[in-house]
Amino acid sequence: MSLERPDPVLDDDAVLLVGHGSRREESNEQVRTLAAKLESRLSVPVDAAYIELAEPSIDDAIESMAPTCRTMTVVPLSLFAASHVKNDVPLAVQRARATHDDTEFRFGSHLGIHPSLVDLLDERARAVESDLGVDREDDDVAVVLCARGSSDPDSNGDVHKLARLLYEGREFTRVESAFIGVTTPRLEETLHTVARDRPDAVVVLPYMLGDGVLTGRIVDKAETFDEEYPYVDAGASGPLGTDDRVVETLADRYREARTGSVEMSCDTCKYKVELAGYEDDEGGARAMLRSLVHQAEHADRSDVDDDPHVHDAPEKHVAVCTNQTCAASGAATVLERLRQGVRDADDCDVHVSRSSCLGQCGDGPIVAVYPDSVWYGGVTPDDTDRIVSSHLERDRIVSNLVHQSL
């Protein structure tokens, strides 16, 4: 597709491209590179921000950009819609809407399934075929599309759909989907299953944005498979990277958000409907608390080389609602007093964060303690000493302050 012609845009538009964030600077640089390419494509300012592990955060980036634009479109640089896309980024947009009255915020969709990405995968497969000396039109070529894997059924389901779209209309013997972690089928299992049909070659496509730890594992497993099965040639491609077709997909997601035509798969969202096996997964405030804990756990990690998603979690996490009504009742002072109390405590493994609205307007400031699922209401600065010394240090709930338990 041509990337020459910029789209007409509204005056004072800006875009915030939100990546996951990594302690590996090359991964963060990829987000900035895509932001620069997208800016050139759209002819509007595009900045980069990160959900965790890198700076600037979404909140900081919005704070910097909001005064300079009338409309801001936040687009998540995420392949599929799992917890970050459904919880963390929307919560940041919600906070921004509450604090920046002069700026209109739009929330774009994740990359998802897009014809440009299918074309890119097809091209990656042809490159591996060329390296292996095979041609799908003359040889039996099987493809294994390998994604990260998620606890969200929407995300995993889209991997299977993408694999099917890659198969349709092409001369592959078969296209299978697999995962490198979290869920099944795992890559090794799928490779062994495919090998039973004795294809001439197996092409492994890592469905990853960057060349990180998980991409490396996929490549290593493809190499091991190639050694174990001498009668099948096997090779793996590189990740999607900063290819122009990724930029084209991001541009489409921006256009959808700008015109109000963003669609999410709510009919199969585990936070919206009851799906077998996911009955205990809930959205709203609980999902927000989980996402806050997730961010704090990442912040505590000093080494992610071996496993980027293994955490050293704090014992407790405290969220203080700082939305408008709670803020007017002194939430900012409550937040700082709690933080100071935790710092001064002798043995208190607690992370204290501000949160967006917890849906209890008029009963605040609201203080939620996780994983205890205890919410305190009408908390004053003087109450913070009791919350720290009794609940956070000794696990004794301050009963007269309890607003509700989840």
Side-chain angles (χ1 to χ4, degrees), residues 64 77 87 95 150 160 170 193 196 205 216 235 303 357 376 386:
S64 174
L77 181 60
N87 294 318
R95 288 193 295 269
S150 171
H160 291 284
R170 295 175 178 84
T193 299
R196 293 172 187 168
L205 300 176
D303 183 1
C357 183
Y376 295 116
R386 286 192 295 152

Side-chain angles (χ1 to χ4, degrees), residues 247-269:
V247 179
E248 175 64 21
T249 304
L250 291 169
D252 276 355
R253 300 303 178 233
Y254 162 76
R255 285 190 289 268
E256 291 167 357
R258 194 183 67 183
T259 58
S261 57
V262 174
E263 295 183 359
M264 295 288 284
S265 52
C266 295
D267 289 343
T268 52
C269 175

Side-chain angles (χ1 to χ4, degrees), residues 295-311:
Q295 293 175 35
E297 289 165 353
H298 269 300
D300 285 348
R301 294 294 312 286
S302 58
D303 183 1
V304 295
D305 286 341
D306 293 332
D307 196 334
H309 280 79
V310 173
H311 307 298

Side-chain angles (χ1 to χ4, degrees), residues 211-289:
D211 195 9
V213 171
L214 297 181
T215 302
R217 288 181 187 173
I218 295 171
V219 173
D220 290 344
K221 291 183 184 297
E223 291 176 351
T224 300
F225 172 79
D226 185 52
E227 294 171 358
E228 291 179 351
Y229 290 83
Y231 57 83
V232 180
D233 290 327
S237 75
L240 302 182
T242 59
D243 190 274
D244 284 344
R245 279 156 289 194
V246 177
V247 179
E248 175 64 21
T249 304
L250 291 169
D252 276 355
R253 300 303 178 233
Y254 162 76
R255 285 190 289 268
E256 291 167 357
R258 194 183 67 183
T259 58
S261 57
V262 174
E263 295 183 359
M264 295 288 284
S265 52
C266 295
D267 289 343
T268 52
C269 175
K270 66 176 182 177
Y271 298 120
K272 298 290 185 183
V273 297
E274 217 175 78
L275 298 178
Y278 297 92
E279 294 88 350
D280 294 332
D281 289 2
E282 298 183 22
R286 289 189 186 177
M288 182 215 63
L289 288 172

Side-chain angles (χ1 to χ4, degrees), residues 32 66 91 99 149 153 167 172 194 201 220-221 262 282 296 319 325 336 338-339 348 385 403:
R32 292 190 286 270
L91 284 166
T99 55
Y167 172 79
F172 297 121
V194 169
D220 290 344
K221 291 183 184 297
V262 174
E282 298 183 22
T325 56
E336 291 308 316
L338 283 171
R339 285 175 170 170
C348 200
D385 291 339
H403 180 63

